[in-house]
Amino acid sequence: LSPEDASLAYDKYASSYDELDGGTASSILGLDEARSQLLAKASGKVLEIGVGTGLNLAKYDPLAVTSLTVADISEGMLQEAKERLQALNLPFPVDFVKADATSQLSDLFGENAFDTVVDSFSLCVMGNEGAKMCLSQMTKVVKNESHGGRVLLLENNKSSNPIFGMYQDITAEAAASAGGKGCVYNQDVRSLIKNTSGLEIEEETSYVAGLFRAYVCVKSM
């Protein structure tokens, strides 16, 4: 989806989004636990892009995070996240920003601004070109490895199982249009990261035959 299309589409999806990305199915697939494991690594001044309805908000370590900025291109999603926040008692400040993560992060926040930058399940919506741009933006705003900076990603991936992978290739576009809310779920995220200047994979964890993968990345430049 283009940024404009994503903004309009996710404004419409906002009230029902948790049915797709959260709830029972997410728990059965182990995604709740995957989120918890990855976000436990977030610390300091944190930026989360594609915050959606705020499914990650309760999973940040209150003893490790000092501030949280959450960004999304959809005003509807941000409103849902704000409502979720009201039910939480987070000890750190949370700022909400409407932004296009493929192009605006470095202009809005400056370079080397955050200790941790987080994304979960947004790259697939951006398409490969948009994902490349987003990874570049995240790399710009995170601090260097020497200063403890990390990029934490939990993303849809093309499965490492050849049969699953072939099925994904055949059905990806149709699934994105039919019920996947624009998400093309057969991206090669490892390749996208490795082709992002200055960004290196430090740790990679596979879930459900590689259909979902978590990455801990650092900025080496």
Side-chain angles (χ1 to χ4, degrees):
L1 295 178
S2 70
E4 295 78 12
D5 289 343
S7 178
L8 292 171
Y10 278 81
D11 280 349
K12 295 178 182 178
Y13 296 148
S15 62
S16 61
Y17 182 79
D18 286 358
E19 297 172 11
L20 175 69
D21 224 26
T24 303
S26 179
S27 296
I28 291 172
L29 291 171
L31 298 185
D32 277 347
E33 182 60 24
R35 289 178 189 271
S36 296
Q37 290 176 359
L38 186 66
L39 292 172
K41 303 177 189 295
S43 62
K45 186 179 179 181
V46 178
L47 169 67
E48 180 179 346
I49 67 105
V51 67
T53 61
L55 288 171
N56 291 334
L57 289 175
K59 299 185 181 299
Y60 288 102
D61 184 348
L63 299 179
V65 174
T66 57
S67 69
L68 176 62
T69 300
V70 297
D72 202 287
I73 199 167
S74 163
E75 190 64 52
M77 287 292 198
L78 288 171
Q79 186 58 45
E80 293 289 328
K82 289 176 183 177
E83 293 178 9
R84 187 185 296 272
L85 179 65
Q86 292 176 1
L88 304 173
N89 186 28
L90 299 182
F92 47 79
V94 181
D95 293 323
F96 293 82
V97 179
K98 184 177 180 181
D100 177 1
T102 68
S103 62
Q104 296 179 328
L105 301 182
S106 58
D107 288 339
L108 285 171
F109 305 117
E111 297 192 7
N112 305 306
F114 295 96
D115 300 292
T116 311
V117 179
V118 175
D119 175 59
S120 59
F121 302 113
S122 294
L123 296 183
C124 66
V125 179
M126 302 173 187
N128 285 336
E129 289 306 312
K132 291 175 186 177
M133 294 167 64
C134 182
L135 288 167
S136 178
Q137 285 288 307
M138 287 192 281
T139 303
K140 288 179 180 179
V141 300
V142 75
K143 293 179 180 178
N144 289 335
E145 179 183 12
S146 60
H147 291 91
R150 283 178 168 178
V151 174
L152 307 179
L153 306 171
L154 180 60
E155 307 292 347
N156 289 287
N157 272 263
K158 182 175 178 178
S159 175
S160 50
N161 180 297
I163 295 175
F164 287 168
M166 183 181 299
Y167 176 80
Q168 285 177 284
D169 286 343
I170 294 171
T171 62
E173 290 189 17
S177 299
K181 294 180 168 57
C183 175
V184 180
Y185 63 2
N186 64 337
Q187 279 184 324
D188 183 352
V189 178
R190 165 177 269 274
S191 177
L192 291 171
I193 296 169
K194 291 179 73 69
N195 284 289
T196 300
S197 178
L199 194 62
E200 296 182 359
I201 298 172
E202 186 177 69
E203 181 181 331
E204 180 178 351
T205 306
S206 175
Y207 300 92
V208 196
L211 290 172
F212 314 104
R213 291 179 183 269
Y215 301 89
V216 178
C217 306
V218 294
K219 180 165 72 172
S220 58
M221 59 184 184

